[in-house]
Amino acid sequence: MAQDVTTPNIDEAQWDTPTVKKLIPEFSTHKPRILLMYGSLRERSYSRLAVEEAARILNKLGAETRIFNPHGLPQTDTEDASHPKVQELRDMVIWSEGQVWCSPERHGAMTSIFKSQIDWIPLSLGGVRPTQGKTLALMQVCGGSQSFNTVNQMRILGRWMRMVTIPNQSSVPKAFLEFNDEGRMNPSPFYNRIVDVLEELMKFTLLLRDNKEYFVDRYSERVESAEELSKRVNQKSI
């Protein structure tokens, strides 16, 4: 018996078969724009020190970096989006082509300082999806033994924000032993792993940033848009 390969539910007008030729053949030449975010307000914040070390590595890899300082960012729903720190964060997110998130682990989870930053980033902003299709690398610092609770949670957040979260990740145990008095990270396998993560982030960002719109283009949204357009064009005069 012949297999039925028909697809009567498909809207052929909105169907797209991916091909290599549909990828953008010319790539941007400007430095990849990477935003780094951390999750602690302590004077000696190890997530901040890790992010600062990551920024140095990214700059050496050819990126342009910005670090968001969460000090002064209000808790969500206590201010509106016109707050200067909220605007600063959102502008940085829109500017970025890739991001690095680093949070301490507190009570087996990311800190409220870090989560509050994510909560201020909307999925849609004035018709623009500020995080969709952008690359993301995840790191965490631990006060004790190595754990992956925080990076696992942030991976869920990254997926929810429609970001391309790279496979590699970093978790630094006993972070207080990994940084010297000047705040620089000591040479170690943990440092090398951070280099691995950032190198991978750069590769994914260079590959995806000019093809982002094509990679996130969805059949269901094309169908919905076509239906909305049809309703608007064909509506009867009142």
Side-chain angles (χ1 to χ4, degrees):
M1 184 176 179
Q3 183 180 7
D4 185 356
V5 295
T6 59
T7 54
N9 294 334
I10 294 292
D11 182 346
E12 295 295 339
Q14 305 305 324
W15 181 253
D16 174 67
T17 300
T19 65
V20 173
K21 290 183 179 180
K22 292 176 182 177
L23 300 175
I24 299 175
E26 296 183 5
F27 293 92
S28 297
T29 57
H30 67 270
K31 293 182 177 182
R33 300 191 293 263
I34 307 297
L35 169 63
L36 300 97
M37 299 162 58
Y38 59 93
S40 169
L41 299 178
R42 292 177 176 175
E43 182 176 353
R44 186 171 171 83
S45 163
Y46 292 107
S47 61
R48 175 178 57 80
L49 294 179
V51 154
E52 290 174 351
E53 200 68 47
R56 296 183 187 102
I57 297 167
L58 284 166
N59 291 333
K60 187 175 180 64
L61 287 168
E64 178 183 357
T65 59
R66 295 182 184 178
I67 299 174
F68 178 71
N69 180 353
H71 184 79
L73 182 71
Q75 287 290 322
T76 50
D77 301 328
T78 63
E79 298 280 352
D80 60 35
S82 65
H83 190 281
K85 287 299 291 189
V86 176
Q87 285 297 307
E88 179 188 353
L89 173 61
R90 292 185 176 186
D91 288 346
M92 284 189 174
V93 169
I94 291 173
W95 167 86
S96 69
E97 296 170 327
Q99 296 180 23
V100 176
W101 296 355
C102 182
S103 175
E105 180 170 317
R106 183 167 297 167
H107 301 311
M110 74 186 78
T111 62
S112 61
I113 297 297
F114 189 85
K115 182 58 164 58
S116 183
Q117 294 172 73
I118 304 303
D119 288 344
W120 273 116
I121 304 171
L123 290 177
S124 181
L125 182 62
V128 175
R129 288 174 173 162
T131 54
Q132 177 172 261
K134 297 183 178 182
T135 54
L136 173 64
L138 303 174
M139 298 165 34
Q140 76 171 78
V141 292
C142 310
S145 59
Q146 191 175 46
S147 165
F148 296 91
N149 292 323
T150 298
V151 287
N152 289 338
Q153 285 187 329
M154 292 192 294
R155 192 169 291 277
I156 293 172
L157 275 180
R159 185 169 67 246
W160 189 261
M161 302 300 285
R162 298 181 173 182
M163 303 182 77
V164 180
T165 309
I166 66 170
N168 215 338
Q169 60 189 24
S170 169
S171 175
V172 181
K174 297 182 179 179
F176 59 92
L177 297 177
E178 298 301 323
F179 294 85
N180 63 27
D181 292 341
E182 287 71 44
R184 297 300 303 269
M185 193 170 184
N186 300 319
S188 72
F190 300 117
Y191 178 90
N192 294 346
R193 182 60 175 264
I194 289 177
V195 176
D196 289 348
V197 170
L198 301 175
E199 186 179 57
E200 186 173 286
L201 175 67
M202 284 288 287
K203 292 174 182 177
F204 272 80
T205 304
L206 289 168
L207 178 65
L208 296 177
R209 65 176 178 173
D210 293 306
N211 294 307
K212 178 170 67 70
E213 297 305 321
Y214 182 64
F215 272 93
V216 299
D217 185 40
R218 295 178 175 85
Y219 168 77
S220 61
E221 293 180 352
R222 292 196 300 272
V223 170
E224 182 180 16
S225 297
E227 289 175 350
E228 291 300 316
L229 176 62
S230 178
K231 290 178 182 178
R232 179 173 62 80
V233 171
N234 295 318
Q235 62 182 338
K236 296 180 180 179
S237 300
I238 299 176

